[in-house]
Amino acid sequence: ERMGKDGLAVFRTIMLNGCMAIGSVREVLGFKQLSAPAKQKFNTAVARLVRERFIAAATPKDAITKADRMMQEEAREIEKLDMPPTAKELVKIRQRISEREEEEYQAVEVVGMKRQARDDGNGDLGGASKVLIGPDGQPISLGDFYGTNGNHQQRSAEADAVDEKQCFRVYYGRLDVFLRNKQIANYFSDKYNEAAGALMKTLLRLSEPSTKTCRDKISGKMTANHIIQNIPQDAQLEDMVETGGDMFFQKLTDGDASSGSSSSSSAQKVNRGKAAFALLDILRRDSSGIVFKSDERGAGEFRINFERAAVTLRDQCLDTLILEKFGSLEARIVRVLRDKQKLDEKT
């Protein structure tokens, strides 16, 4: 769905072999004998897989479990001390190790990509030291950002080059994120309608670049305007939502309506915006608490609470099991007990 046939072929080859260098993948799939356009297509597919973290570079760290790695680091820290650590010192050592682990986990660097951070030094860009974060969450040079001397496409191609000798493995944590996001979108589609599911899918898609694994508790901030602009064009919002008198959205669109023409496309855009705002409000007010508003300024900023989403999906799974095994009345009783907080361990 996301990477096309070439991406699937590369992904499947790496998954079946466990860990492979891209050069070996190219040989197995027979891309070495193909034409230049086909090779470029292969390179683009691999770069997208790496950039979107479907596959990750295999490092020596991957051969050691997290618990063993932390124990080794703890032993090295203790060796630096002149005498055995006290209980307080041991707690501080473990805390430092955990903080380092978290910093590595939050790092945005993608291993295995030949990224060029240097610039030609044109204008005021001043060489290689300044780096920006691109829309895909990856670092780009200022020259790439401004497209100096018309070399933007060439530099982008250089930045997307994958190291042929680097071995890659399937990043299952990333796949867990995609599968969980699909379940969350289906939850809102079943509870409300397809329009709510399409909007939730847009929210989740926008949060994906900053979401590495299902360990992340809350997504990054997303503005209402940015969300609405990224809703797929084929999503039918207007026919499925009763917008009513949305005074806030009316204020936002009054200027456009007065200055612009009364064409059908403009009216359709306004109606679509109203429907999207109404849906956002519905998702925000949902009892699950999955979507919440983090900032009231302007049209507002929204975030996703993945912890609440996990609880909601777990409860939905439990309800389905009880409904299948016992019946609708029993499932209703369990839901009432859970809503009244009578099923927790405190009771």
Side-chain angles (χ1 to χ4, degrees):
E1 290 177 7
R2 291 169 177 255
M3 296 292 150
K5 291 182 179 179
D6 292 323
L8 174 62
V10 174
F11 182 87
R12 184 181 287 159
T13 304
I14 294 173
M15 183 171 64
L16 292 175
N17 289 277
C19 181
M20 284 187 79
I22 296 303
S24 301
V25 175
R26 192 192 297 273
E27 290 179 8
V28 170
L29 295 177
F31 277 95
K32 279 199 167 183
Q33 290 75 31
L34 296 179
S35 60
K39 289 180 180 178
Q40 182 59 40
K41 202 174 176 184
F42 171 83
N43 293 338
T44 303
V46 172
R48 283 191 65 199
L49 285 168
V50 177
R51 191 170 57 249
E52 297 191 26
R53 298 176 188 269
F54 279 86
I55 58 176
T59 62
K61 266 189 179 180
D62 297 330
I64 308 170
T65 64
K66 183 181 176 180
D68 288 341
R69 190 164 63 247
M70 292 184 78
M71 286 172 64
Q72 289 175 4
E73 289 185 18
E74 185 180 319
R76 283 196 291 269
E77 290 284 341
I78 292 172
E79 283 178 6
K80 296 176 184 177
L81 302 176
D82 296 330
M83 59 182 68
T86 63
K88 285 186 179 180
E89 288 175 338
L90 197 57
V91 168
K92 287 181 180 179
I93 288 171
R94 288 171 180 170
Q95 189 176 356
R96 283 201 304 270
I97 293 169
S98 298
E99 287 173 359
R100 281 203 298 267
E101 283 282 332
E102 189 63 25
E103 284 175 8
E104 289 179 11
Y105 169 72
Q106 296 294 344
V108 297
E109 182 186 0
V110 176
V111 181
M113 301 287 282
K114 291 181 179 177
R115 291 198 162 268
Q116 300 292 329
R118 285 194 293 275
D119 190 80
D120 294 333
N122 295 307
D124 296 324
L125 299 180
S129 60
K130 297 181 181 179
V131 176
L132 294 174
I133 301 300
D136 58 350
Q138 304 308 323
I140 56 174
S141 69
L142 287 174
D144 288 342
F145 183 76
Y146 290 110
T148 313
N149 290 343
N151 293 330
H152 178 70
Q153 293 296 332
Q154 181 183 352
R155 288 176 182 168
S156 296
E158 287 176 3
D160 285 339
V162 178
D163 189 352
E164 293 277 323
K165 297 179 182 178
Q166 175 68 54
C167 289
F168 288 88
R169 59 181 175 80
V170 173
Y171 188 16
Y172 290 104
R174 188 69 168 153
L175 299 181
D176 286 338
V177 171
F178 296 141
L179 293 171
R180 179 202 59 189
N181 289 356
K182 194 172 183 180
Q183 285 181 304
I184 296 171
N186 290 340
Y187 168 78
F188 282 100
S189 295
D190 296 339
K191 188 171 184 178
Y192 295 105
N193 53 32
E194 291 180 5
L199 184 61
M200 192 66 216
K201 196 178 289 183
T202 303
L203 278 161
L204 292 163
R205 194 70 185 260
L206 292 174
S207 72
E208 280 177 6
S210 60
T211 307
K212 296 179 181 63
T213 69
C214 290
R215 283 171 50 192
D216 295 346
K217 297 178 181 179
I218 295 177
S219 73
K221 294 179 181 179
M222 296 164 279
T223 63
N225 291 328
H226 186 50
I227 295 165
I228 291 169
Q229 288 169 5
N230 284 276
I231 297 172
Q233 291 297 323
D234 56 353
Q236 298 295 326
L237 304 184
E238 302 91 329
D239 301 334
M240 296 190 179
V241 182
E242 178 59 49
T243 57
D246 193 340
M247 296 302 295
F248 176 74
F249 187 77
Q250 191 64 36
K251 289 179 183 177
L252 292 178
T253 55
D254 275 346
D256 295 338
S258 60
S259 61
S261 62
S262 57
S263 62
S264 60
S265 61
S266 177
Q268 186 180 5
K269 189 176 180 182
V270 170
N271 290 334
R272 188 176 179 81
K274 283 184 179 179
F277 267 103
L279 275 171
L280 271 173
D281 195 52
I282 289 170
L283 297 183
R284 182 178 66 86
R285 295 174 185 272
D286 186 74
S287 59
S288 65
I290 294 174
V291 178
F292 66 97
K293 207 170 187 177
S294 61
D295 198 333
E296 296 290 341
R297 289 178 296 180
E301 291 181 338
F302 294 83
R303 302 180 81 173
I304 302 170
N305 188 329
F306 291 121
E307 279 190 314
R308 290 296 310 159
V311 170
T312 302
L313 293 175
R314 182 193 65 196
D315 291 344
Q316 187 185 35
C317 181
L318 179 65
D319 291 343
T320 303
L321 289 171
I322 293 171
L323 180 64
E324 290 175 356
K325 188 167 184 177
F326 298 102
S328 58
L329 179 60
E330 287 80 357
R332 171 70 177 154
I333 290 169
V334 170
R335 279 200 299 272
V336 171
L337 290 171
R338 186 175 63 234
D339 291 343
K340 299 294 182 183
Q341 298 181 351
K342 300 296 181 183
L343 293 182
D344 57 16
E345 295 178 357
K346 297 174 186 175
T347 307

